[in-house]
């Protein structure tokens, strides 16, 4: 029953993130990416700060200066800036398809930087998945859009974030991490606007409503994601992360009149299949390792 609840929460979280992406893309026609980051980061940071205090968390701790937390925040900046820019400039379906390669990037990072042993099967799955990314990007071909590289930036940044999270001190709560992950987007957005020489503009009421919707569904999705990972068995519920792509493709078709071509859909299918296999293989090896340890 816990796995069913966890899977349902994971699917609901992915639906929430897909709607958050939709709101961001709708806003991007009127607001600069930097301003979107400032507004979403500030609003989301305030919400999570209130939630953190409600649960008795302190808003400041020396643990928040630990290298793992600082690296995690840097990854959040790189990833969010890249993905939000990709959503603004490219079809939401292709940006979301590329984002599904994040677990593959995490596997590469774990092998290179965390000393994790990755067997030939997972390396093969990673290579196949990266081939799927190339099918979506199509570098050197007529369908190539350089703006899609921002989605690749998003994958790299979010992989850094996920890898660093594994080294975050146990005393730092997820609410504290979320608070600073959102708040760090405020100076990031301000820097982007300063570099590009873009002034802030007052959003019209419809965009204020969309921003509010993005914050609400984003915060709710984050909480459902955390709840899902705590309730269910991770190896069983993690593959449901890929439902986000299904929701993104549906939203892209219904809301933005997007019609991904065959290569994009094939690439997306390859990425998802490779990612699911990588997650399954990692979980199986973890269970084998635990079973082989002598009982105390």
């Amino acid at each position: 029953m816990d796995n069913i609840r966890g899977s349902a929460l994971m699917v609901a979280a992915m639906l929430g993130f897909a709607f958050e992406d939709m709101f961001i893309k709708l806003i991007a026609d009127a607001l600069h990416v930097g301003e979107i980051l400032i507004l979403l980061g500030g609003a989301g940071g305030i919400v999570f700060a209130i939630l953190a205090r409600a649960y008795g968390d302190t808003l400041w701790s020396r643990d928040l200066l630990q290298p793992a937390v600082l690296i995690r925040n840097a990854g959040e900046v790189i990833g969010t800036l890249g993905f939000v820019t990709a959503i603004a400039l490219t079809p939401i379906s292709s940006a979301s398809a590329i984002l599904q390669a994040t677990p593959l990037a995490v596997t590469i990072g774990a092998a290179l930087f965390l000393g994790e042993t990755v067997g030939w099967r997972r390396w093969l799955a990673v290579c196949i998945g990266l081939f799927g990314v190339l099918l979506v990007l199509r570098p050197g071909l007529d369908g190539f859009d350089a703006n899609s590289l921002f989605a690749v930036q998003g994958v790299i940044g979010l992989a850094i974030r996920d890898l660093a999270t594994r080294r975050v001190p146990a005393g730092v709560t997820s609410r504290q991490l979320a608070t600073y992950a959102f708040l760090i987007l405020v100076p990031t957005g301000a820097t982007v606007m300063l570099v590009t020489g873009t002034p802030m503009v007052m959003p019209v009421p419809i965009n204020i409503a969309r921003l509010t919707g993005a914050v609400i569904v984003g915060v709710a999705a984050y909480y459902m994601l955390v709840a899902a990972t705590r309730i269910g068995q991770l190896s069983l519920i993690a593959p449901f992360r890929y439902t986000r792509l299904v929701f993104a493709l549906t939203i892209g078709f219904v809301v933005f009149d997007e019609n991904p071509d065959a290569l994009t859909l094939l690439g997306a299918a390859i990425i998802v299949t490779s990612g699911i296999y990588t997650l399954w293989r990692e979980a199986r090896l973890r269970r084998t390792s635990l079973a082989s340890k002598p009982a105390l």
Side-chain angles (χ1 to χ4, degrees):
M1 182 60 70
D2 284 343
N3 285 330
I4 294 176
R5 290 172 57 206
S7 299
L9 283 169
M10 180 65 77
V11 172
M14 294 305 105
L15 177 61
F17 285 132
F19 273 107
E20 181 185 29
D21 296 342
M22 178 195 74
F23 285 127
I24 290 173
K25 188 166 184 64
L26 289 170
I27 297 166
D29 288 337
L31 301 181
H32 190 271
V33 167
E35 184 168 357
I36 293 174
L37 293 178
I38 291 172
L39 295 174
L40 289 180
I46 291 172
V47 171
F48 274 109
I50 293 172
L51 289 172
R53 291 301 299 148
Y55 279 89
D57 300 336
T58 60
L59 293 181
W60 175 249
S61 166
R62 292 185 63 86
D63 285 340
L64 294 171
L65 294 177
Q66 291 289 324
V69 178
L70 297 178
I71 293 172
R72 185 187 190 280
N73 288 337
E76 190 78 57
V77 167
I78 295 169
T80 304
L81 176 59
F83 189 57
V84 170
T85 305
I87 290 175
L89 300 179
T90 66
I92 195 172
S93 52
S94 61
S96 297
I98 295 171
L99 185 69
Q100 306 313 307
T102 302
L104 303 176
V106 170
T107 298
I108 295 173
L112 296 179
F113 303 111
L114 299 184
E116 181 178 311
T117 300
V118 177
W120 69 268
R121 293 179 181 85
R122 277 197 288 167
W123 277 122
L124 179 60
V126 167
C127 292
I128 293 173
L130 294 180
F131 174 70
V133 173
L134 290 177
L135 287 180
V136 178
L137 288 174
R138 276 163 278 182
L141 301 179
D142 291 338
F144 175 64
D145 182 354
N147 290 321
S148 293
L149 294 176
F150 284 114
V152 177
Q153 175 187 328
V155 168
I156 294 172
L158 296 181
I160 293 172
R161 179 199 66 184
D162 291 350
L163 288 168
T165 301
R166 301 183 181 185
R167 295 291 187 266
V168 169
V172 179
T173 70
S174 58
R175 290 175 293 272
Q176 289 174 315
L177 287 175
T179 298
Y180 285 92
F182 271 95
L183 290 179
I184 197 68
L185 298 179
V186 176
T188 300
T191 301
V192 170
M193 298 195 74
L194 180 64
V195 170
T196 59
T198 306
M200 293 275 290
V201 298
M202 181 63 188
V204 297
I206 183 62
N207 283 333
I208 293 176
R210 289 167 176 165
L211 282 166
T212 303
V215 172
I216 292 173
V217 297
V219 169
Y222 177 87
Y223 256 85
M224 287 186 288
L225 175 62
V226 172
T229 57
R230 289 178 174 174
I231 291 174
Q233 186 178 345
L234 191 59
S235 60
L236 292 178
I237 67 172
F240 286 95
R241 284 177 177 265
Y242 291 103
T243 57
R244 180 173 181 171
L245 179 57
V246 176
F247 297 133
L249 291 171
T250 303
I251 289 173
F253 177 76
V254 174
V255 179
F256 302 105
D257 197 28
E258 296 177 4
N259 290 286
D261 58 21
L263 278 180
T264 298
L265 294 175
L266 176 61
I270 291 174
I271 295 169
V272 170
T273 303
S274 301
I276 290 176
Y277 176 80
T278 301
L279 292 171
W280 172 80
R281 184 69 183 172
E282 181 179 352
R284 181 181 179 184
L285 293 174
R286 186 181 296 112
R287 288 195 300 270
T288 302
S289 176
L290 292 174
S292 65
K293 290 183 178 180
L296 297 178

